[in-house]
Amino acid sequence: MNRAPSLSPPPAPAMQTNPVLVESAVVFSVVMCVHLAVWNQHSWCCVALVIQAFYVQHKWDRLLRNGNAVFQWRPSANSGIVPAAMVMPLLGVALREKCAASGNVYFERFSMVVTVTGVMLALFLSLLALGITRPVPTNTCVIAGVASSAILYTVKQTLTVSEVIEVLEVLLIFVYLSLIVLYLLPRCFTPGEALLVVGGISFIVNQLIKRSLNLAEVKGEPVHYFLPVVVVGSLLLGVFFALLFCFMESETWVSSLFFHMMTAVLGLGILMPWLSLLIRRHPIMWLLDFVTLNDKRLCLLGYWALLATLATLVVLHQNYQRQSGSKKHQASTLVRKYFHLIVVATFVPGLVYDRQLLHVASVGCLGAFLLLEYVRYFRIRPLGQVLRQLLTLFLDERDSGPLILTHIYLLLGMSLPIWLFPGPCAPKGILPGAGGLVPYAGVLAVGVGDTVASVFGSSLGEIRWPGTKKTVEGTATSVFAQIIAVAVFLIFDSNINLNSTYSWIVGSISLVAMLEAYTSQIDNLLLPLYLFILLLL
């Protein structure tokens, strides 16, 4: 009698590595590096915050998977609470250490405010996540409550009443801006990206208002006041027209003329006088004197204009290929990385020869990018529809909302280390050791590391990191390329003196490269900030 063959059970699926766990482990490693380098009560707050943020992220990720989130977040990405929540607190801790070492009491207190502000914004977002989770996660609520109580007790012991009020002001601005941005711009951010972007804008808005109300205490380089004025002006312009065009058509010539007229009124009638009060001089005259100070600055401006023309030609060429009948309707990864190389070629000479000019030029470029994005988004004549057609070719899965932010994130990633460079806390404007590479954090993490990882990983990579599409070969070549870039910077920039901190630099670059391999957040924005923090220690 023939017996039927026995059916063996299917093999158990291999255990998949959760990218969120690895991402959180990398961030926790960064937190412990900061804690070991800086031993104070706020570094302990960061440890408590990352633990409770990890539990909260697990609950929020479940909400996103089940479609129960209140707002429409960017799809195909986790919530990103852990990496985003730690940026501002760690940044404040690292800055405080440098300012305390230099004896700058004012900026030491300011750094403490930055730390506590970042912690409070993260706690507010955690409270929001727990409030909308059903059923209520009891264990996570207990952990978040214990961590929050310890953090609030520490804040009470370290900040003055006026500093606590300043933190609460930022929190209030953050709440209102979050409601406006998330309702008007669905699917543009993850919760972590919203915390990072809106939290940074809220802090800048509060600082500008505070300094404008205390003009007698305004001090520092005029260069540093351009960024807050540009950010606040762009925010006012965007919110005003987003609300206005909810009730009227934006594509008509009448609406377009009104847009251009109100932009001119805001720039010439409000922002220009506001900036003149802060720098105590007419901004246009100051800017003319600034850019014509020497021939080197004029040569740099001419060189940057040439690179801007080259980038424009790349965009036009790619659109011409699409219109000529090519089957490729989206720009490849290699084409996108052309812009990374162009930006590297833009920033490196500025960092080596004239960082102040690069600071002002990058702020001006940010204002221009935001204005052009408003023109594209609202379809303002005559350029709105043209920009929409040109930029559609370069969209990827991260531009799933109504805004196209990839190029703006690239500029921010390269510029943030320059804007955040702790000049007042650096001896003669130079940080010793690994700190000498702080202004180059954006160039290393985004311009070199991310570009090399993407190009080599997509073309030569075969071994993938578990749970991701990124490859081991891409990450390894990314680290190697950044080390070579550091050696090149040492040759051309005499201000860099590493003082035998090579192991710390290699370790920092490797940690950030692992974060790039496992994060689903906007790496152009996140990676430079983490490398900035590590190099600052």
Side-chain angles (χ1 to χ4, degrees):
M1 183 176 179
N2 293 330
R3 300 182 60 183
S6 60
L7 298 176
S8 59
M15 183 176 295
Q16 295 290 328
T17 301
N18 189 347
V20 178
L21 294 179
V22 181
E23 177 190 52
S24 301
V26 174
V27 174
F28 187 77
S29 301
V30 175
V31 173
M32 294 309 298
C33 288
V34 174
H35 183 63
L36 293 175
V38 181
W39 189 272
N40 60 41
Q41 59 271 53
H42 286 154
S43 57
W44 282 108
C45 287
C46 292
V47 175
L49 181 64
V50 72
I51 294 174
Q52 73 91 29
F54 173 77
Y55 283 91
V56 171
Q57 173 164 317
H58 173 69
K59 303 304 177 184
W60 209 323
D61 286 347
R62 189 178 68 185
L63 287 176
L64 295 179
R65 287 194 301 268
N66 298 335
N68 297 327
V70 175
F71 297 104
Q72 297 184 55
W73 304 102
R74 182 167 67 84
S76 68
N78 60 58
S79 60
I81 297 298
V82 172
M86 301 312 302
V87 168
M88 193 178 291
L90 293 179
L91 179 63
V93 169
L95 286 174
R96 180 190 175 188
E97 177 69 12
K98 290 299 177 186
C99 294
S102 66
N104 194 325
V105 179
Y106 175 81
F107 278 96
E108 182 182 356
R109 302 298 303 182
F110 177 78
S111 301
M112 293 174 62
V113 172
V114 172
T115 300
V116 175
T117 300
V119 170
M120 297 306 295
L121 294 181
L123 291 179
F124 171 78
L125 204 63
S126 300
L127 181 64
L128 178 63
L130 296 175
I132 62 177
T133 303
R134 294 294 180 271
V136 176
T138 306
N139 294 336
T140 304
C141 288
V142 171
I143 293 173
V146 172
S148 301
S149 299
I151 290 171
L152 291 175
Y153 176 78
T154 304
V155 170
K156 176 180 176 294
Q157 299 296 318
T158 55
L159 293 189
T160 64
V161 175
S162 61
E163 290 168 343
V164 171
I165 294 175
E166 186 174 350
V167 172
L168 294 178
E169 290 170 351
V170 177
L171 183 60
L172 183 63
I173 297 172
F174 175 79
V175 172
Y176 283 108
L177 282 184
S178 297
L179 294 176
I180 294 173
V181 169
L182 296 177
Y183 272 119
L184 295 179
L185 303 172
R187 304 181 307 280
C188 286
F189 308 99
T190 64
E193 292 163 4
L195 171 64
L196 205 57
V197 174
V198 182
I201 293 175
S202 302
F203 191 85
I204 290 175
V205 170
N206 183 69
Q207 286 298 312
L208 183 60
I209 294 174
K210 175 186 174 183
R211 293 170 188 265
S212 300
L213 294 177
N214 299 278
L215 290 175
E217 299 180 4
V218 170
K219 54 184 178 180
E221 293 287 339
V223 170
H224 299 142
Y225 294 103
F226 277 81
L227 177 62
V229 171
V230 167
V231 169
V232 172
S234 302
L235 178 67
L236 292 175
L237 188 68
V239 171
F240 174 77
F241 280 106
L243 297 175
L244 178 64
F245 289 142
C246 288
F247 304 100
M248 62 182 294
E249 185 66 34
S250 64
E251 299 180 31
T252 63
W253 274 109
V254 174
S255 298
S256 299
L257 290 174
F258 182 68
F259 176 89
H260 295 305
M261 182 183 67
M262 289 303 298
T263 302
V265 169
L266 176 67
L268 299 177
I270 299 178
L271 298 184
M272 201 74 71
W274 196 351
L275 187 57
S276 65
L277 287 175
L278 293 171
I279 67 174
R280 295 183 174 89
R281 193 178 173 191
H282 194 282
I284 295 180
M285 299 305 299
W286 179 88
L287 189 61
L288 287 175
D289 292 340
F290 180 79
V291 299
T292 58
L293 181 63
N294 52 51
D295 293 337
K296 184 188 299 182
R297 290 187 172 178
L298 295 176
C299 292
L300 276 174
L301 289 174
Y303 169 69
W304 291 339
L306 181 63
L307 291 177
T309 304
L310 177 61
T312 305
L313 291 176
V314 172
V315 174
L316 295 176
H317 175 69
Q318 290 297 315
N319 279 271
Y320 174 76
Q321 283 190 334
R322 178 175 61 176
Q323 294 171 3
S324 63
S326 175
K327 294 182 180 179
K328 184 187 291 185
H329 296 291
Q330 290 298 121
S332 64
T333 301
L334 184 60
V335 172
R336 291 194 186 97
K337 298 309 174 184
Y338 285 159
F339 296 100
H340 285 238
L341 295 178
I342 291 174
V343 173
V344 170
T346 301
F347 273 74
V348 171
L351 286 167
V352 173
Y353 296 111
D354 200 326
R355 294 180 184 177
Q356 280 199 329
L357 180 64
L358 182 61
H359 187 290
V360 174
S362 58
V363 171
C365 192
L366 174 64
F369 277 10
L370 292 174
L371 181 60
L372 290 176
E373 180 58 23
Y374 290 149
V375 170
R376 186 207 63 85
Y377 175 68
F378 295 123
R379 293 185 175 92
I380 301 299
R381 294 174 181 266
L383 295 177
Q385 193 59 38
V386 175
L387 288 173
R388 186 173 289 263
Q389 293 174 356
L390 291 176
L391 295 179
T392 302
L393 179 65
F394 299 92
L395 294 179
D396 59 13
E397 68 277 0
R398 300 183 180 185
D399 291 310
S400 54
L403 294 183
I404 299 178
L405 298 172
T406 305
H407 59 297
I408 298 176
Y409 284 139
L410 175 59
L411 175 65
L412 286 175
M414 301 290 285
S415 303
L416 281 171
I418 303 167
W419 298 341
L420 296 173
F421 181 75
C425 298
K428 297 181 181 179
I430 301 172
L431 289 174
L437 291 172
V438 161
Y440 291 88
V443 174
L444 289 171
V446 176
V448 177
D450 184 47
T451 302
V452 171
S454 181
V455 172
F456 279 83
S458 60
S459 59
L460 302 176
E462 295 182 359
I463 306 173
R464 298 190 183 278
W465 288 109
T468 75
K469 297 180 180 179
K470 306 295 180 63
T471 63
V472 176
E473 293 88 346
T475 303
T477 52
S478 168
V479 174
F480 185 64
Q482 291 181 72
I483 294 173
I484 293 177
V486 170
V488 173
F489 298 153
L490 278 171
I491 296 173
F492 289 98
D493 193 343
S494 59
N495 293 328
I496 301 177
N497 182 11
L498 300 184
N499 294 335
S500 302
T501 55
Y502 303 104
S503 58
W504 182 267
I505 293 171
V506 174
S508 301
I509 290 173
S510 301
L511 270 178
V512 174
M514 286 300 300
L515 184 61
E516 187 273 337
Y518 276 94
T519 188
S520 62
Q521 308 302 299
I522 299 295
D523 49 7
N524 287 350
L525 187 62
L526 198 65
L527 303 183
L529 291 172
Y530 271 100
L531 187 57
F532 178 93
I533 292 167
L534 288 170
L535 294 178
L536 196 59
L537 295 175

